[in-house]
Amino acid sequence: MRIGLTGGIGSGKSTVARCLAELGAALIDTDAISRRLTAPGGAAMPALVAAFGPQAQAGDGALDRSFMRELAFRDPEARKRLEGVLHPMIGEETRRQELAAAGSPWIVFDVPLLVESGRWRQRVDRVLVVDCAPETQVLRVMARNGWTREAVLAVLAQQATREQRRAAADAVICNEGLDLAALALEVRQLAAHWQA
C-alpha cells in the first residue's frame, strides 16, 4: 500500500511520519531529500547558485534558506525557478527510494505539498492528512523555528488551505490537543484499520 502523507506546516505531519515508520512502514520523506540536496556539497547547490547567484549560498555552502524563502514568497517566478531545479531531483530520488522499498508491505510518502502539486493522487492508494487549527500551526512554528507570526502566515498563505487538504484526504488525523501518546494511538488505530 502506498500512502501519501501531508499536512500544513506545524500540523505534526513529521511526528505522524515517525509513528508510521515505527510501525514498519518504509518512509520516503521529500523534505529530507530536499534538505540533503541543498546541504553543503548537495547535488542541487551548483544549479541553485547558477540560478540565483552566490547570495543563495550560506557561509557553510548550504542553501541560504531564509534568503530563498523570502525571495520565493516575494517573486513567483523565482519560486518556479527554484522548483524547476529541485523538483526533478527530488522526484528522481523519490523513485530510487521507492524501488529500494519495493519489498515493504507499505510505503509512506511524506509530501508537504502533496495537494498543491496535483500529481501525487494517482501515485498513492490513500491520502492521510494531519490537520489542526491554523492558529495552532502558527504557535507551533513560532515556538519551534523562532519565526515571527508574519513569516508563518506567509508560509501558510502559500500552502493549500485546510479545506483543500481535507477534501483530498482518505483519512484525517486531527492533531489538536493531543499529547504524543494519544497521537501515536490514533496513528496505530488508523494503520490497523487500513491493513485490515
Side-chain angles (χ1 to χ4, degrees), residues 22-63:
E22 286 167 10
L23 293 172
L27 178 63
I28 300 174
D29 182 341
T30 60
D31 249 2
I33 292 169
S34 175
R35 284 192 299 274
R36 279 196 300 278
L37 290 169
T38 57
M45 287 311 300
L48 292 172
V49 170
F52 298 102
Q55 65 272 27
Q57 193 167 29
D60 66 355
L63 179 67

Side-chain angles (χ1 to χ4, degrees), residues 177-196:
L178 299 178
D179 64 16
L180 193 52
L183 180 60
L185 178 61
E186 293 264 339
V187 174
R188 279 198 306 276
Q189 289 173 337
L190 178 64
H193 171 71
W194 277 354
Q195 285 174 316

